[in-house]
Amino acid sequence: MHDVSEPATRAGMLHRSIALYIDRGPWPYAASLICRSGFREALGLYCAAMIQRPDMSWPADKFFGQRLRYLVCFSLIALDARWRRNIGEAPTLAALQRIAPASARQIAELVGALKLSGYVVASRLAADGRALRLSPSMPLLQEIGRSPLAFLEACERLDPATSPMAAKLRSDAAGLADWLGASYEMFLQEDLYFAPFSNVVEFTAQDCGYPVLSAVLAAHYAAVAGLAAPAPLSYGGLAERFRVSRQHVGNILANAERRGCFSVARGGRRVTVSAEFLSEFETWAAGQMAHYRLLAERVPGTLGSMSLIEW
């Protein structure tokens, strides 16, 4: 189904950071996607989708737009997905503290905030009335799934599916949880998806770093297409959009320029993205499109009782 012919030619469009993995995981399919004529248009739409305002007033962008909090939530989703299929331990706070990439105190504080905001529901376990099961709600699945679903939609624009996959997952809580859980399991087995892309990862470590990056690249792709930027790139505009301080926005942009990723002119009037960073980001994005598409073709209705780790 997927065109992965002429791998040497196609691999030449991918960033050198994944040279060791080019024949593994999502990369053969990613190499075919990045060559398609509509790739940058699809990626521009992805970036624009990532900066849309959330439906609720709670500062979801700031809360989930940081790697540690995002990965703890991802861990909970994966833990719950495995437990629902009778694999592994119940998704309790203690279990989450054993596997999530944060300190026990950080995880407890994060779970407390998620429960108060309705993103996590706690209920007594039938097998142990003293323990509380932590269930990810549909709003949490949708927040953690924002980028994966937008990448899947971008891939479907380039390589249409027989039946829309992203649309189906958006309305299927169990399917969405299994899909995200499978992704996290694969990430734990071997990180072919983030580790090679140091600049992209750097943005995710800062509050709203990745959303700000998405806004900058959305403006870049819009300019390439001769369109207006979908969001203002001034310090004030970005600070208001993502509910952070102007100083924080300035720090993110200054750090990006210092690392040679991109520069934003005063007032956000012009964006200049380095060819090196653009290659890194586009390669990473192609890998994300391929990763989530391949998982979507395998997860809904096909997992049964199989362990996700066996994929």
Side-chain angles (χ1 to χ4, degrees):
M1 173 181 162
H2 304 303
D3 178 11
V4 292
S5 60
E6 302 176 23
T9 300
R10 297 186 184 283
M13 294 192 68
L14 297 174
H15 191 263
R16 63 180 183 278
S17 58
I18 55 88
L20 296 176
Y21 315 112
I22 191 60
D23 296 321
R24 297 161 56 191
W27 296 110
Y29 183 32
S32 75
L33 292 173
I34 204 169
C35 291
R36 305 201 180 200
S37 60
F39 177 77
R40 285 184 168 171
E41 179 183 0
L43 194 47
L45 291 171
Y46 161 82
C47 291
M50 290 305 295
I51 60 175
Q52 290 179 0
R53 292 182 180 275
D55 294 332
M56 59 176 59
S57 59
W58 202 72
D61 279 326
K62 182 176 180 179
F63 191 82
F64 296 110
Q66 194 271 345
R67 184 172 66 228
L68 184 146
R69 293 190 289 266
Y70 185 81
L71 287 178
V72 170
C73 294
F74 228 131
S75 299
L76 175 59
I77 291 168
L79 186 66
D80 184 66
R82 288 173 63 82
W83 183 73
R84 285 187 291 100
R85 296 183 179 281
N86 300 314
I87 303 166
E89 57 187 325
T92 63
L93 177 60
L96 185 62
Q97 288 171 325
R98 282 191 288 273
I99 68 166
S103 71
R105 179 178 177 180
Q106 287 173 318
I107 292 169
E109 292 175 349
L110 173 59
V111 168
L114 291 169
K115 287 194 293 186
L116 284 173
S117 58
Y119 282 105
V120 166
V121 177
S123 59
R124 296 288 177 187
L125 280 169
D128 182 358
R130 296 170 300 173
L132 290 176
R133 173 194 174 185
L134 302 177
S135 303
S137 67
M138 188 59 166
L140 180 64
L141 294 172
Q142 290 170 335
E143 282 296 337
I144 300 305
R146 276 186 71 198
S147 181
L149 286 167
F151 272 129
L152 180 56
E153 287 177 330
C155 186
E156 289 189 86
R157 290 188 184 97
L158 299 171
D159 185 7
T162 304
S163 176
M165 297 178 177
K168 178 181 178 182
L169 286 169
R170 284 186 190 281
S171 59
D172 178 3
L176 182 56
D178 286 340
W179 182 61
L180 294 173
S183 174
Y184 192 72
E185 295 281 0
M186 295 184 75
F187 168 79
L188 291 179
Q189 288 179 67
E190 185 175 16
D191 182 5
L192 308 179
Y193 317 99
F194 286 91
F197 306 101
S198 59
N199 282 305
V200 174
V201 170
E202 179 72 18
F203 282 102
T204 67
Q206 307 168 82
D207 281 352
C208 287
Y210 188 73
V212 169
L213 169 62
S214 298
V216 170
L217 290 179
H220 167 76
Y221 288 118
V224 169
L227 303 172
L233 295 185
S234 65
Y235 283 17
L238 290 171
E240 188 276 332
R241 168 61 191 84
F242 298 121
R243 285 180 270 195
V244 294
S245 70
R246 291 168 57 95
Q247 180 179 358
H248 184 65
V249 169
N251 290 339
I252 293 173
L253 298 181
N255 189 30
E257 185 168 1
R258 190 163 48 247
R259 299 199 322 271
C261 299
F262 58 76
S263 61
V264 178
R266 177 181 286 275
R269 291 186 296 272
R270 186 179 68 260
V271 173
T272 303
V273 184
S274 75
E276 171 69 15
F277 177 67
L278 196 63
S279 174
E280 178 183 332
F281 179 79
E282 290 183 347
T283 297
W284 175 75
Q288 293 290 293
M289 291 180 195
H291 169 64
Y292 285 111
R293 173 63 178 273
L294 294 172
L295 278 182
E297 291 177 349
R298 301 170 69 178
V299 171
T302 65
L303 281 177
S305 60
M306 181 177 67
S307 168
L308 301 179
I309 204 77
E310 295 172 353
W311 282 43

